[in-house]
């Protein structure tokens, strides 16, 4: 018996290029699926905590994404802001890769940041 992956299938690994992000909606809540410079895949809340701007449209460098609006930067692993003007973290969701499929558990916010209740 094979255990089922936790979370929802959101995309395939080849749908996201290195240093790119894919914006998805879960119950009208925007999430960025991001492949960092090392090829690791992360899932974070797609809205900058400083302004209502999509992070998936920003630049990815290392394990950080930068908001194109005002230059706030966020660590993809922790959701913590690395650069002002943002000072609140964005939610980071649990990701599981099965073969070439990416699953995100939207009920598991890894960093405790405020996110909608998807249960």
């Amino acid at each position: 018996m094979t255990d089922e992956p936790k979370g929802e299938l959101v995309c395939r690994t080849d749908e996201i290029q290195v240093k790119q992000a894919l914006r998805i909606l879960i119950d009208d809540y925007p999430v960025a699926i991001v492949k960092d410079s090392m090829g690791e895949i992360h899932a974070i809340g797609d809205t900058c905590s400083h302004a209502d701007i999509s992070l998936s449209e920003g630049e990815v460098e290392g394990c950080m994404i930068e908001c194109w609006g005002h230059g706030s930067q966020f660590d993809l692993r922790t959701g913590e802001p690395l650069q002002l003007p943002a000072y609140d973290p964005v939610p980071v969701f649990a990701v599981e890769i099965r073969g070439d499929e990416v699953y995100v558990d939207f009920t598991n916010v890894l960093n405790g940041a405020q996110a909608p209740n998807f249960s």
Side-chain angles (χ1 to χ4, degrees):
M1 179 166 82
T2 306
D3 61 318
E4 294 295 317
K6 290 185 171 73
E8 184 173 325
L9 175 63
V10 295
C11 66
R12 298 171 60 90
T13 56
D14 61 0
E15 291 180 62
I16 315 166
Q17 300 303 311
V18 171
K19 296 175 64 175
Q20 296 291 314
L22 174 67
R23 184 177 193 261
I24 64 169
L25 291 175
I26 302 299
D27 295 337
D28 294 326
Y29 180 78
V31 175
I33 310 300
V34 186
K35 191 178 282 187
D36 68 20
S37 295
M38 304 302 280
E40 295 292 321
I41 296 177
H42 309 270
I44 64 169
D46 186 47
T47 305
C48 179
S49 63
H50 168 254
D52 189 20
I53 295 174
S54 173
L55 292 176
S56 61
E57 296 176 23
E59 299 216 9
V60 178
E61 191 61 49
C63 197
M64 174 277 302
I65 193 164
E66 182 175 323
C67 177
W68 61 267
H70 299 107
S72 293
Q73 299 172 348
F74 297 89
D75 187 309
L76 294 168
R77 298 163 295 198
T78 66
E80 290 296 320
L82 303 172
Q83 178 73 35
L84 294 173
Y87 55 86
D88 290 324
V90 294
V92 176
F93 301 98
V95 173
E96 183 176 345
I97 309 297
R98 287 284 183 103
D100 63 353
E101 297 178 326
V102 179
Y103 293 84
V104 177
D105 184 353
F106 297 104
T107 65
N108 187 358
V109 180
L110 299 176
N111 64 345
Q114 184 175 9
N117 183 1
F118 293 113
S119 53

